[in-house]
Amino acid sequence: MNDANLHAVPTRLAPRSGATMDRPVTRDRRGWWFIGAAAVITLGLGLTLARGWLADGGRSLQVGHEQVSIATVTRGMFEDFIPVRGRVVPRSTVFLDAVEGGRVEAVLVEDGATVEAGQVLVRLSNAQLQLDVIAREAEVTQQLNNLDTLRLQLAQNRLAHRRTLIDVDYQIRRLSRLAQDGERMISDGYVSQREFDDSRDELAYQRALREVTLEAQATDESLQEAQLRQLTAAAEQLRANLRLARENLANLEVRAPVAGQLTAFDVEVGQSLARGERIGHIDDPDRYKLSALIDEFYLPRVDIALPASAEVDGKPIDLRITKIYPQVTNGQFEVDLSLTADTPPQVRRGQTLQTRLQLGDPSQALLIPNGTYYQDTGGNWVFVITADGTTAARRAVRLGRRNAQHIEVLDGLQPGERVIVSPYTGFLAMDRLVLAANR
């Protein structure tokens, strides 16, 4: 084969294998458009939130004007008082207890009756107490008999010693005369020497016997006097025990300790009462006091003799704190206020009186209205409305005294500024409130 045949090129090229299956693909641009729009929106929201956070220094919340109450900081007279609701109670109450237990045999008065001091209210019976009194009476009688017996023995001993001394003194006198006349009687032959010596020995014996008798008499009297004192003391103690037992027996008649009105008296015939069981109390029917509860916030400022005032049927009455109970229960403590002598007769037990407790003198101060927001924040901060009225920013303040209407501002606010005084429930974690217009 020659070179011309090898290099011959056909005038028409054959088509490529698979060329008939390829076709151009058109790209869908809608997915990228949605992704871009979402990214732009997210970026915008993030920038908005970041700008709000950086501009206002914290979290914010949008609220409507109708959701909050706004008040203006003003300067005025602060009345340093708090309203207190007191209940009229008797000034003095004497509790009535069963000193001795027993079975109720008779009830002589009814609950609510006016009683006199010493009046019998209830009669009880107690067989064991009666037997105890009988036993003590027997002990006293026996001890008194022993005392009388000892006194009789002491008297008999004294008589015996006196009899012995009389006999001894007689013998001493007789032998003394014999001793004086002994030498003459011996020389005259009336008495022998032996008889004379025996009389002298007898005289010495009688003198020694007299000394021993006196010593025995003193010893016996000392011992018997000591026994007599002991028995006398024991007898007095038994008498005292007997008196106490008789008093306990007398206490089976429950008497009114003071005059007054008997209340909370609920005793029935046949009922068994334990010793010391409370069966009622007696109230003073003519003198009253006010019992009131005060918020524990005011405990450091409340003191004895603090003045207060109230009105009864349009007539003012003066009150003063006479007692403060330091126990705090459910965030309140109790005080007693005395009613003065000019208390109107319309005041009755159980009546409630609205009282103004004066904590201090009136004075000029910067004021904001009192409200529950104080409890929400503890008086440490408030929401202050900005000058344009569109937002309320959290601001630290220092608040002072409070009364029913106002709170004293010590620092952090200026006259004319406006603050939110409605409850802060739901706003406590916010640093800024955006005030939206009413719809």
Side-chain angles (χ1 to χ4, degrees), residues 98-103 124-127 129 248 251-252 272-277:
V99 180
E100 291 294 333
R103 181 180 181 274
L124 308 176
S125 62
N126 189 326
L129 187 59
N248 292 339
N251 286 332
L252 293 177
S272 294
L273 299 179
R275 175 182 293 182
E277 182 176 350

Side-chain angles (χ1 to χ4, degrees), residues 58 116 136 170 185 188 204 239 259 269 276 290 302 306 320 360 397 432:
E116 300 295 332
R136 292 183 184 277
Y170 167 72
M185 295 179 67
D188 292 341
R239 287 194 183 98
V269 175
L290 250 64
V302 176
L306 205 62
R320 287 191 180 276
V397 295
R432 183 174 62 94

Side-chain angles (χ1 to χ4, degrees), residues 14-23:
R16 295 179 182 178
S17 176
T20 57
M21 298 179 61
D22 295 335
R23 61 185 177 87

Side-chain angles (χ1 to χ4, degrees), residues 61-82:
L61 179 68
Q62 183 173 333
V63 297
H65 274 282
E66 71 279 1
Q67 296 180 254
V68 296
S69 298
I70 300 174
T72 303
V73 181
T74 59
R75 184 172 296 278
M77 187 65 67
F78 180 80
E79 298 284 344
D80 196 7
F81 76 94
I82 55 174

Side-chain angles (χ1 to χ4, degrees), residues 80-143:
D80 196 7
F81 76 94
I82 55 174
V84 175
R85 193 168 185 82
R87 183 170 56 90
V88 178
V89 296
R91 179 178 297 182
S92 62
T93 297
V94 178
F95 293 102
L96 188 63
D97 298 336
V99 180
E100 291 294 333
R103 181 180 181 274
V104 178
E105 297 294 338
V107 179
L108 305 180
V109 295
E110 297 293 334
D111 186 27
T114 301
V115 297
E116 300 295 332
Q119 181 179 345
V120 180
L121 308 178
V122 180
R123 285 196 178 97
L124 308 176
S125 62
N126 189 326
Q128 182 61 41
L129 187 59
Q130 293 171 341
L131 292 175
D132 184 54
V133 172
I134 294 173
R136 292 183 184 277
E137 288 177 343
E139 290 178 358
V140 171
T141 301
Q142 181 180 0
Q143 192 69 13

